[in-house]
Amino acid sequence: MGLTKQYLRYGPAALFGLVASARGNAAFVALRGERGRCVAVPACEHVFVWDTRKGEKVLILKGLKQEVSCLCPSPDGLHLAVGYEDGSIRVFSLLSGEANVTFNGHKAAVTALKYDQLGGRLVSGSKDTDVIVWDVINESGLYRLKGHKDAVTQVLFLKEKNLLVTSGKDTLVKWWDLDTQHCFKTLVGHRTEVWGLALVSEEKRLITGTADSELRVWDITYIQEVKDPDEPESKKSKGSSLGAEDDTGEDETLELDECPEERLLKCSKVGSIMREGRDRIVTLATDRTGKILACHGTDAVLEVFSVLSEEEVQKKLEKKMKKAKQKAKQKSVEEPEGSGELSLQEEIQRVTNIRASAKIKSFDLILSPKGELKIVLLLQNNIIESYNLNLSAQVPQAVRTSKITIGGHRSDVRTLAFSSDNIAILSAAAESVKIWNRSTLQCIRTMECEYALCSLFVPGDRQVIIGTKTGKLQLYDLASGSLMETLAAHDGAVWSIALSPDQRGFVTGGADKCVKFWEFELVKDESSIQKRLSLKQVRILQLDEDVLCVRYSPNQKLLAVSLLDCTVKIFYTDTLKFFLSLYGHKLLVLCMDISYDGALIATGSADRNVKIWGLDFGDCHRSLFAHDDSVMYLQFVAKSHLFFTAGKDNKIKQWDADKFEHIQTLEGHHQEVWCLALSPNGDYVVSASHDKSLRLWERTREPLVLEEEREMRREAEYEEIVAKEEQPVVAGETQGEMGLAGKKTIETIKAAERIMEAIELYREEMAKLKEHKAICKAAGKEPSAYVLEVFKKVKSSELEESLLVLPFSYVPDLLRLFSEHIHLGSEVELLCRALLFLLKIHFGQITSNHMLVTVIENLKKTTICRVSEARVPEGKGELRKLEDNQKKNKERNLVALWVPRNLSKFLKIRFTRVLS
């Protein structure tokens, strides 16, 4: 058996060149107790926290693989909730920078996040049309609200009432009663998608933004109801997250009859405020006080409005009445009737418009106690701008206080190059050339240029050459950062540039059907005594088609030219005579490279294939289906037959040209990868993408085994299939407005498997106690205690879903173990939660199993007794719970008893039904 070929794994080393991604939203966060200085922004899968005053990155909240889609800071300023494209939500601590909690419930990208007033609950809306309410303290999902027919765009908690308002692209605004978890009112007065919501005037007014230039204003009237003091208790028990019900269905129908939508509030349209923008609303938001309202469309203008408080409205009304009376006296006319009210435009006044330097993607604002408004804008072109607005001025004018730009390009990077010493990286885009230090990832030079398409370092690494879209060659000096020379090289775009192996010149290919040969020369500079570098054209090769790519063979004998007719022509460099034609690609050959020994040429095409050819006879050795979209760039690793390809499918792949095998895939970019560059020693790969990020990949010392890599790919595919599977159906659950918050993931399946293994071990222990007792004692655990330990290790947010996929054959043993541990008083809260969920989903099977009658009887007695003990009267239980939570996590300052007041009553009802 022959030896297998050893490969070394490339891994992600850094992400740079990115100030902020335009996919998510910006949010002010409090670091070191100071608000209005630091702003959190999405940066691909990470979250960057920038100090706007210094223009420095102060914190990175590292994500996993998925792109960030939504941010929301907690009211206490200690945590930041981050929503991702795959529907997951992670809650980060801003003190430690680590993710404390992970919620999995949505099937698509999270589009809206909002905390309640205390920060104990978090609500999320998604592209999958669902709204989910999460318990942040218990780290679990409460319930899923279904009702929207398209993506949810905004979600808001009401401060005083236990209500929720949501908007969606289905043109609807829905009001939800969180006590009963149902939608009690739907506003249908919009003709287009509702893109934004805001509550103002102490939550007595709702403002909605749609696809037109109107901001619609709705009056909210809360209906006060007088009830018996005992009645709300029973109502709450019905609407609690435990899903409790009364013995008969009659009371339930009676409650529905008693609570029409007018019982809670009335919502009526009072008018509209016209925006200056004609396009759709992108973001509509208020500051924390609700005094300032701001919105923007798809343009670069932020419109700021001031909302008058009740006192200010009253003062203004008095002034208006006074003026009206004076006018009436002067003209000796009766006082006009309409002067007793303020118009909507007078109550919500336009303050100013702020014009940013580019299109705005999102904003956040904060009103300081001194009356100064701080605004941060996240722009489409990789910039963060900060503005201050003095509201006390007669004519408020926004002043730009900072602009964070140096960390990246304004547009997509289209060309990359490494210096010969592997230290400097060149990146060029439509407006600038930047030189980066590879080790520190700091930008050390920025030079303005025309739209760059190709680039190279001149031998010596003191100058760089850029080929532009207008057909020019631009020569820059790195020491001074100045443009030394501009040459009109081609009549069309310069698509490709290649340095000659003898390093005396280079070759360019353009859209004017020409290949031009250039040499470096030293010329006298008029302004200086010293000679400077210049470029001289020496030869030209005229062809029949536009040139897309050119490459020299390492011995400089051959020149490969890719043409617009989907072929690659090989010419002799010295005589420019035709040698070979490589044809076989169905679409344009966009990239190619020749191996270090000149034996192979690899070509990448828009037909998604890579072909490997022999340069001796031009025969095609193998055609590989490389990417799911066009292959944009291809380059061989130095001194090997391994090569990398970059594609529009967001992936970078490594291949072996000898064995024709796919070695590994570098996943990280979230949009099309335009180009890549390999360092001369082959240790580093740098790539640029449409997501505005530059990524550095490093060759590690870890050996890569192809079989293991294939196995990992198969596992990843299996996990994707599991995630797309239909969710398990809960017995007795109707397909109504409410559902379980969680979703089935590979983690919940693994947690269920661990519980099953623990129960099977427990069964064996009970069957062969003497034989297996030594094993358990060696682990330091009794059989039942071991099962409890496994149970405690299941994440709180995954508990319900893990129990849902657990087969019923394991449930009787679990109930017996619960009875044993609850009787001992250990983990009462956790076990009660699991017990109630099992009773809910397996109600029919448990009631029909006579073997479980005694177990249920014991559970009824012990559970009610232990829960009553846990709820010590006069708030002592809350105090005990507070102390426990402070021990678990010192950062948290909120606490809520999971055990509700009506649990004892609920347990009696539930156990009575089971036993009957």
Side-chain angles (χ1 to χ4, degrees):
M1 182 180 169
L3 290 169
T4 57
K5 191 171 180 180
Q6 281 279 332
Y7 303 102
L8 292 176
R9 186 182 296 279
Y10 282 81
L15 179 145
F16 64 106
L18 184 65
V19 177
S21 297
R23 294 293 288 269
N25 61 298
F28 276 116
V29 293
L31 280 187
R32 297 178 289 276
E34 190 175 358
R35 287 186 183 274
R37 178 169 175 172
C38 293
V39 60
V41 292
C44 291
E45 69 271 24
H46 306 308
V47 175
F48 290 166
V49 180
W50 291 91
D51 185 331
T52 54
R53 206 173 293 171
K54 293 181 179 177
E56 293 176 358
K57 206 183 296 177
V58 291
L59 183 64
I60 299 175
L61 306 177
K62 292 194 174 179
L64 300 174
K65 284 184 179 179
Q66 297 297 328
E67 193 172 10
V68 174
S69 61
C70 195
L71 301 178
C72 181
S74 64
D76 59 6
L78 296 177
H79 298 88
L80 182 72
V82 183
Y84 294 90
E85 282 288 322
D86 64 343
S88 62
I89 300 165
R90 300 175 82 200
V91 181
F92 287 88
S93 164
L94 290 172
L95 299 178
S96 64
E98 294 178 358
N100 299 324
V101 188
T102 303
F103 296 128
N104 280 303
H106 293 293
K107 296 177 185 174
V110 178
T111 52
L113 281 174
K114 197 66 71 177
Y115 277 95
D116 69 356
Q117 191 178 9
L118 294 172
R121 289 180 300 174
L122 176 70
V123 63
S124 61
S126 167
K127 280 185 181 177
D128 65 4
T129 75
D130 289 348
V131 175
I132 302 179
V133 181
W134 307 92
D135 184 343
V136 180
I137 294 159
N138 199 36
E139 300 179 7
S140 63
L142 294 176
Y143 35 81
R144 181 189 300 266
L145 303 173
K146 305 172 186 176
H148 283 287
K149 305 296 181 192
D150 207 337
V152 179
T153 54
Q154 185 61 287
V155 288
L156 293 172
F157 276 110
L158 271 73
K159 291 177 184 175
E160 302 300 327
K161 309 271 182 180
N162 194 23
L163 303 177
L164 180 73
V165 58
T166 62
S167 64
K169 286 170 73 175
D170 54 1
T171 76
L172 302 178
V173 174
K174 286 182 173 285
W175 291 85
W176 305 84
D177 182 358
L178 298 183
D179 286 331
T180 56
Q181 295 112 42
H182 82 285
C183 173
F184 65 88
K185 192 172 186 65
T186 303
L187 299 183
V188 291
H190 303 92
R191 293 184 179 180
T192 55
E193 298 97 331
V194 182
W195 290 100
L197 282 180
L199 287 163
V200 295
S201 304
E202 296 177 352
E203 298 185 342
K204 290 178 183 174
R205 279 214 166 131
L206 176 73
I207 298 175
T208 57
T210 60
D212 53 25
S213 55
E214 280 185 55
L215 292 178
R216 290 168 177 79
V217 183
W218 307 75
D219 250 338
I220 304 168
T221 310
Y222 299 102
I223 297 166
Q224 301 296 326
E225 47 185 348
V226 181
K227 299 276 183 183
D228 295 333
D230 298 328
E231 198 174 19
E233 203 70 34
S234 62
K235 300 290 183 195
K236 282 180 187 173
S237 68
K238 286 185 179 183
S240 71
S241 59
L242 299 167
E245 310 155 28
D246 263 345
D247 291 331
T248 62
E250 292 173 12
D251 292 339
E252 193 170 343
T253 44
L254 181 65
E255 184 190 350
L256 289 171
D257 292 337
E258 283 178 359
C259 74
E261 59 183 48
E262 284 78 16
R263 184 175 72 87
L264 295 171
L265 58 83
K266 287 181 180 177
C267 196
S268 56
K269 187 180 174 185
V270 291
S272 295
I273 301 166
M274 299 305 293
R275 296 190 300 121
E276 287 187 2
R278 296 295 180 90
D279 44 9
R280 76 169 181 89
I281 279 277
V282 175
T283 316
L284 173 68
T286 63
D287 70 313
R288 283 179 175 236
T289 61
K291 290 180 181 177
I292 303 297
L293 173 76
C295 63
H296 70 89
T298 55
D299 53 8
V301 178
L302 180 76
E303 300 180 44
V304 183
F305 299 87
S306 173
V307 182
L308 299 185
S309 64
E310 284 188 12
E311 293 174 5
E312 290 170 328
V313 168
Q314 201 60 39
K315 283 181 185 176
K316 199 157 190 177
L317 197 57
E318 284 172 9
K319 280 185 182 178
K320 192 176 179 182
M321 293 286 284
K322 204 172 183 181
K323 282 183 182 178
K325 282 178 183 177
Q326 286 174 356
K327 281 184 183 178
K329 280 180 184 177
Q330 288 171 4
K331 295 180 181 179
S332 63
V333 190
E334 289 183 13
E335 188 183 333
E337 293 177 7
S339 61
E341 287 183 9
L342 287 181
S343 68
L344 195 61
Q345 280 69 25
E346 288 174 312
E347 286 187 41
I348 302 173
Q349 299 174 336
R350 183 182 295 276
V351 177
T352 187
N353 286 357
I354 299 172
R355 182 167 290 277
S357 59
K359 285 184 179 179
I360 303 170
K361 297 305 288 184
S362 81
F363 72 92
D364 196 16
L365 44 121
I366 193 165
L367 187 63
S368 67
K370 296 176 183 177
E372 189 180 46
L373 184 68
K374 293 182 178 179
I375 302 167
V376 65
L377 303 179
L378 170 57
L379 306 184
Q380 191 181 28
N381 62 346
N382 206 18
I383 290 179
I384 299 169
E385 288 185 346
S386 298
Y387 290 85
N388 278 5
L389 188 64
N390 187 6
L391 297 172
S392 57
Q394 282 189 340
V395 182
Q397 288 292 327
V399 179
R400 190 169 74 195
T401 54
S402 69
K403 186 176 181 180
I404 302 171
T405 60
I406 196 163
H409 288 275
R410 308 285 72 78
S411 55
D412 292 0
V413 172
R414 301 310 295 248
T415 175
L416 291 164
F418 256 104
S419 62
S420 59
D421 58 3
N422 309 293
I423 291 174
I425 298 170
L426 177 150
S427 65
E431 81 299 323
S432 64
V433 181
K434 285 182 182 284
I435 308 296
W436 307 83
N437 184 312
R438 178 190 51 75
S439 54
T440 63
L441 301 176
Q442 295 299 310
C443 178
I444 52 179
R445 279 284 179 277
T446 300
M447 301 162 286
E448 289 186 5
C449 73
E450 294 186 23
Y451 199 118
L453 293 176
C454 53
S455 62
L456 60 81
F457 274 92
V458 174
D461 299 334
R462 293 184 179 183
Q463 296 90 13
V464 294
I465 299 170
I466 304 294
T468 70
K469 199 173 184 179
T470 54
K472 294 174 184 174
L473 286 177
Q474 294 184 309
L475 177 65
Y476 290 90
D477 179 54
L478 295 185
S480 61
S482 60
L483 176 64
M484 294 169 63
E485 190 176 0
T486 300
L487 293 173
H490 292 267
D491 294 334
V494 182
W495 287 116
S496 184
I497 188 168
L499 186 68
S500 61
D502 62 6
Q503 299 193 341
R504 293 181 179 179
F506 61 94
V507 63
T508 59
D512 58 354
K513 305 178 184 178
C514 290
V515 175
K516 293 188 178 182
F517 296 81
W518 306 79
E519 281 186 358
F520 300 117
E521 64 173 357
L522 292 171
V523 296
K524 284 186 179 179
D525 195 355
E526 295 172 1
S527 60
S528 168
I529 305 168
Q530 292 180 344
K531 290 185 176 182
R532 66 169 180 83
L533 186 75
S534 182
L535 311 173
K536 182 177 74 174
Q537 183 185 327
V538 290
R539 286 191 297 171
I540 185 168
L541 173 62
Q542 189 69 42
L543 296 161
D544 298 330
E545 297 284 346
D546 290 11
V547 178
L548 298 178
C549 189
V550 288
R551 287 291 179 270
Y552 272 114
S553 64
N555 58 11
Q556 208 171 328
K557 285 185 178 179
L558 300 174
L559 177 73
V561 182
S562 161
L563 300 174
L564 203 65
D565 60 2
C566 311
T567 64
V568 176
K569 300 277 196 295
I570 313 291
F571 297 90
Y572 290 105
T573 308
D574 49 0
T575 61
L576 298 184
K577 285 186 177 178
F578 173 74
F579 172 48
L580 289 170
S581 179
L582 311 178
Y583 54 89
H585 283 291
K586 294 174 184 175
L587 293 172
L588 304 180
V589 178
L590 301 174
C591 51
M592 61 183 176
D593 199 17
I594 298 173
S595 63
Y596 75 102
D597 54 3
L600 300 173
I601 178 171
T603 57
S605 167
D607 63 8
R608 304 179 289 180
N609 290 312
V610 168
K611 290 183 187 289
I612 299 164
W613 317 75
L615 257 185
D616 41 6
F617 302 109
D619 55 322
C620 181
H621 292 184
R622 186 66 63 93
S623 182
L624 303 167
F625 182 75
H627 291 269
D628 295 328
D629 209 330
S630 302
V631 182
M632 298 303 295
Y633 209 86
L634 185 151
Q635 191 174 347
F636 273 96
V637 179
K639 298 179 182 178
S640 75
H641 281 183
L642 306 179
F643 65 91
F644 281 90
T645 58
K648 274 191 175 180
D649 59 354
N650 316 345
K651 292 174 184 173
I652 298 163
K653 295 185 179 181
Q654 188 186 16
W655 307 83
D656 186 341
D658 289 331
K659 294 194 170 184
F660 317 119
E661 284 189 307
H662 173 211
I663 300 168
Q664 73 171 123
T665 302
L666 304 179
E667 292 185 356
H669 286 294
H670 300 286
Q671 293 185 48
E672 300 96 322
V673 183
W674 295 127
C675 55
L676 58 81
L678 272 92
S679 61
N681 61 7
D683 283 345
Y684 298 96
V685 180
V686 64
S687 56
S689 167
H690 185 47
D691 61 15
K692 299 283 195 302
S693 70
L694 298 173
R695 287 177 189 266
L696 185 68
W697 313 84
E698 186 178 7
R699 183 161 60 189
T700 63
R701 301 297 102 194
E702 179 191 348
L704 185 147
V705 182
L706 289 181
E707 277 303 318
E708 288 179 6
E709 198 68 16
R710 291 190 192 109
E711 185 62 33
M712 284 166 65
R713 282 200 288 270
R714 282 195 290 269
E715 283 178 11
E717 286 170 10
Y718 170 69
E719 288 181 16
E720 280 182 22
I721 292 166
V722 167
K724 289 175 184 175
E725 281 180 2
E726 288 187 11
Q727 298 299 305
V729 179
V730 181
E733 186 183 280
T734 57
Q735 296 297 315
E737 292 178 336
M738 197 197 85
L740 291 175
K743 72 170 182 181
K744 181 180 168 186
T745 62
I746 197 73
E747 284 79 18
T748 60
I749 292 170
K750 286 177 180 175
E753 286 172 354
R754 287 195 295 271
I755 294 170
M756 286 156 61
E757 285 170 9
I759 294 170
E760 281 170 5
L761 182 62
Y762 168 75
R763 286 172 179 170
E764 290 173 14
E765 297 269 345
M766 292 296 103
K768 303 175 183 178
L769 193 59
K770 290 180 182 178
E771 188 180 337
H772 283 271
K773 200 163 188 179
I775 297 170
C776 275
K777 284 196 171 175
K781 296 278 186 299
E782 289 292 330
S784 59
Y786 173 70
V787 178
L788 182 63
E789 281 297 314
V790 171
F791 216 82
K792 282 160 67 178
K793 285 177 185 175
V794 178
K795 286 183 183 176
S796 181
S797 57
E798 295 170 359
L799 182 63
E800 277 85 359
E801 286 299 320
S802 301
L803 292 173
L804 198 56
V805 296
L806 196 70
F808 180 73
S809 57
Y810 294 91
V811 173
D813 292 304
L814 263 183
L815 293 177
R816 291 185 186 97
L817 287 164
F818 287 174
S819 178
E820 181 184 331
H821 287 293
I822 291 172
H823 181 71
L824 295 170
S826 55
E827 298 293 333
V828 175
E829 180 182 329
L830 173 69
L831 296 181
C832 274
R833 183 177 152 202
L835 168 65
L836 296 172
F837 187 74
L838 286 173
L839 288 174
K840 179 183 174 184
I841 62 173
H842 295 300
F843 183 79
Q845 287 168 293
I846 290 172
T847 49
S848 60
N849 192 333
H850 298 293
M851 303 290 288
L852 294 174
V853 173
T854 52
V855 179
I856 298 296
E857 277 284 4
N858 292 335
L859 277 168
K860 180 182 176 182
K861 293 172 189 173
T862 54
T863 308
I864 294 169
C865 175
R866 293 298 179 193
V867 167
S868 302
E869 287 174 13
R871 285 194 64 255
V872 183
E874 297 177 5
K876 291 180 183 176
E878 281 84 352
L879 187 63
R880 183 191 294 170
K881 183 71 178 181
L882 180 61
E883 289 169 359
D884 290 345
N885 272 279
Q886 284 174 343
K887 285 176 188 173
K888 285 179 187 175
N889 193 343
K890 291 180 181 178
E891 295 170 16
R892 302 216 175 160
N893 62 350
L894 289 168
V895 66
L897 255 174
W898 177 82
V899 183
R901 293 183 179 278
N902 61 341
L903 182 60
S904 300
K905 181 183 174 183
F906 168 72
L907 286 169
K908 285 174 187 172
I909 295 166
R910 180 64 78 190
F911 284 124
T912 307
R913 285 190 168 191
V914 172
L915 292 168
S916 62

